[in-house]
């Protein structure tokens, strides 16, 4: 049901030390909207069992849906927060033709449920599970809420990215909203300016909404408190599935919803691959093709379900995905209890 991949250095570390939670100092959560539902069981297992009782810091790094997951994991009861997030998100309904304002309001409602009464304070002050929300600050027409200008800005981005990912650095800056005591160190070969801001009661909600503010679909977040004046949007624009080097010691655990990794949002239709060296100390766990074949429609959930399925059909399907995700958690638990290096595939098999 579950495929496990490890970079060369990660595999060597596991061979020498076995497979245990203490090996990991970072955790990645990718963009992908409802694709996350297939990781629901794994998320509950990781933060309800695998990392339970941890005292050493764990940097939890997420963009868009991955940032919302990060906000769940950094709360006092991460499993309860994850359940609240999954329930509200999976039961979301819209009018026949929702506009950006309606969808943005829906995301704010999900966020309010996710935080609960004490989540904001718990995330900000959690010195062990340290949340990091990745956000893209937009420049030029990409920052405009005018649909025509925004389209022109995004079209320029598509062309720039097709020529070279590095060209996007003129249009976007990476903002990392992080727990104040974070020691996260990143190296980015594509030249994106990276600005770090500590999470505060004044910025945490807007930062999290911004991380999931998909262009065209949602309104961007303007002028986040304590930040440079401007428009902030979905962190997946830059960091969709990630292509940077985490320089902190230790390994990175990366539960992902597929065996495909794309650096940024504009890479989705391109054959461009992420850099293998950035995954040298990473362990990726993802659903196998055999598992996906057992699901309704032989696919995992995604945003297209909103438009391609009738409402009740989509709601039933998403509930099935959430329940089926428990099989992946059971598979991972079996591996944790009886780890075998032979079950770990080389990262090169994933990245090609």
């Amino acid at each position: 049901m579950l495929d496990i991949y490890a970079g060369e250095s990660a595999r060597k570390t596991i061979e020498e030390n076995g497979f245990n939670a203490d090996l990991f100092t970072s955790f990645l959560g990718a963009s992908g909207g409802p694709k996350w539902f297939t990781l629901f069981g794994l998320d509950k297992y990781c933060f309800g069992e695998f990392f339970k009782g941890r005292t050493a810091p764990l940097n939890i790094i997420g963009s868009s849906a991955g940032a919302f997951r990060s906000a769940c994991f950094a709360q006092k009861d991460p499993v309860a927060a994850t359940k609240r997030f999954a329930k509200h998100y999976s039961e979301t309904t819209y009018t026949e033709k929702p506009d950006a304002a309606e969808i943005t309001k829906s995301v704010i409602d999900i966020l309010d449920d996710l935080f609960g009464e004490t989540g904001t304070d718990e995330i900000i002050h959690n010195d062990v599970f340290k949340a990091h929300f990745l956000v893209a600050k937009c420049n030029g027409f990409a920052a405009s809420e005018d649909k025509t200008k925004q389209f022109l800005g995004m079209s320029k981005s598509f062309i720039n990215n097709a020529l070279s990912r590095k060209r996007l650095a003129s249009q976007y800056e990476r903002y990392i909203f992080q727990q104040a005591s974070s020691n996260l160190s990143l190296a980015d070969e594509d030249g994106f300016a990276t600005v770090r801001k500590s999470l505060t009661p004044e910025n945490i909600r807007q930062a999290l909404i911004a991380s999931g503010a998909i262009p065209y679909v949602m309104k961007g977040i303007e002028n986040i408190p304590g930040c440079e004046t401007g428009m902030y949007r979905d962190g997946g624009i830059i960091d969709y599935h990630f292509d940077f080097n985490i320089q902190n010691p230790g390994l990175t655990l990366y539960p992902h919803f597929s065996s495909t990794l794309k650096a940024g949002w504009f890479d989705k239709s391109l054959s461009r691959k992420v850099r293998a060296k950035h995954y040298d100390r990473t362990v990726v766990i993802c659903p196998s093709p055999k598992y996906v074949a057992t699901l309704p429609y032989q696919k995992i959930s995604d945003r297209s379900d909103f438009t391609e399925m009738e409402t009740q059909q989509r709601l039933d399907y998403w509930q099935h995905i959430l329940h089926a995700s428990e099989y992946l958690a059971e598979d991972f638990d079996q591996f944790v209890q009886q780890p075998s290096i032979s079950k770990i595939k080389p990262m090169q098999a994933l990245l090609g």
Side-chain angles (χ1 to χ4, degrees):
M1 293 293 183
L2 191 70
D3 282 338
I4 304 174
Y5 300 88
E8 186 175 341
S9 293
R11 187 183 183 91
K12 183 178 179 181
T13 298
I14 294 167
E15 285 179 333
E16 295 174 350
N17 301 278
F19 190 90
N20 62 82
D22 291 338
L23 297 179
F24 299 96
T25 56
S26 297
F27 183 99
L28 286 174
S31 299
K35 293 177 182 178
W36 163 70
F37 295 149
T38 199
L39 301 178
F40 175 59
L42 280 169
D43 281 357
K44 289 188 297 175
Y45 175 78
C46 283
F47 288 89
E49 299 292 336
F50 188 59
F51 290 124
K52 188 176 182 179
R54 184 185 180 95
T55 57
L58 182 74
N59 292 317
I60 308 171
I61 308 149
S63 63
S64 199
F68 276 66
R69 291 164 62 205
S70 173
C72 293
F73 304 152
Q75 294 186 44
K76 185 176 181 179
D77 189 339
V79 173
T82 299
K83 287 180 178 179
R84 292 197 303 271
F85 177 37
K87 176 176 173 57
H88 199 139
Y89 193 0
S90 66
E91 295 176 357
T92 296
T93 58
Y94 295 116
T95 57
E96 187 174 350
K97 293 183 178 180
D99 58 14
E102 180 181 350
I103 295 173
T104 302
K105 174 61 167 59
S106 175
V107 171
I108 292 172
D109 289 344
I110 291 173
L111 181 148
D112 288 342
D113 208 10
L114 181 159
F115 278 136
E117 295 182 2
T118 59
T120 297
D121 187 65
E122 291 169 3
I123 296 165
I124 291 171
H125 295 104
N126 195 329
D127 289 320
V128 176
F129 297 109
K130 301 185 180 187
H132 299 74
F133 308 155
L134 301 185
V135 175
K137 182 179 180 296
C138 304
N139 299 315
F141 281 170
S144 178
E145 288 292 75
D146 178 87
K147 290 184 178 180
T148 301
K149 290 181 179 178
Q150 189 177 147
F151 175 78
L152 290 173
M154 294 297 158
S155 297
K156 180 181 178 181
S157 299
F158 183 84
I159 295 170
N160 272 337
N161 185 68
L163 295 171
S164 171
R165 177 167 157 81
K166 293 182 178 181
R167 293 173 65 104
L168 285 180
S170 65
Q171 291 184 277
Y172 304 99
E173 302 167 55
R174 175 189 293 115
Y175 269 66
I176 305 177
F177 292 86
Q178 61 189 37
Q179 201 275 346
S181 65
S182 168
N183 66 347
L184 179 67
S185 177
L186 300 181
D188 175 15
E189 296 180 41
D190 291 313
F192 289 99
T194 298
V195 179
R196 299 173 182 277
K197 295 290 182 179
S198 292
L199 288 168
T200 68
E202 292 72 34
N203 68 24
I204 187 170
R205 288 176 177 268
Q206 286 180 283
L208 188 52
I209 297 169
S211 187
I214 306 168
Y216 304 125
V217 177
M218 289 177 57
K219 291 182 176 181
I221 301 300
E222 196 168 6
N223 305 335
I224 296 176
C227 299
E228 182 182 352
T229 299
M231 184 65 71
Y232 297 81
R233 302 191 191 277
D234 197 312
I237 293 173
I238 301 173
D239 298 306
Y240 192 57
H241 298 159
F242 315 111
D243 193 8
F244 48 58
N245 182 33
I246 298 175
Q247 296 180 300
N248 299 69
L251 304 186
T252 297
L253 185 62
Y254 187 6
H256 193 42
F257 42 74
S258 80
S259 57
T260 301
L261 298 177
K262 296 292 183 180
W265 194 50
F266 292 101
D267 285 331
K268 289 192 292 183
S269 61
L270 303 180
S271 60
R272 178 182 297 149
K273 300 180 184 300
V274 297
R275 298 172 177 89
K277 63 183 178 181
H278 290 167
Y279 286 83
D280 180 53
R281 293 186 295 111
T282 299
V283 175
V284 173
I285 55 177
C286 60
S288 67
K290 181 180 178 181
Y291 169 82
V292 175
T294 68
L295 299 175
Y297 319 112
Q298 292 72 57
K299 76 176 194 72
I300 65 172
S301 44
D302 59 56
R303 271 200 311 121
S304 70
D305 299 338
F306 277 112
T307 55
E308 295 181 4
M309 295 183 181
E310 296 294 330
T311 298
Q312 193 58 50
Q313 177 191 14
R314 171 179 60 80
L315 294 175
D316 292 343
Y317 166 52
W318 282 5
Q319 290 306 310
H320 184 104
I321 296 290
L322 289 170
H323 290 303
S325 73
E326 302 293 346
Y327 293 117
L328 298 179
E330 291 172 6
D331 238 23
F332 188 48
D333 179 52
Q334 289 178 13
F335 174 78
V336 170
Q337 299 305 321
Q338 295 181 311
S340 171
I341 199 70
S342 64
K343 295 181 180 179
I344 301 177
K345 301 178 181 181
M347 190 66 71
Q348 199 59 41
L350 178 68
L351 303 183

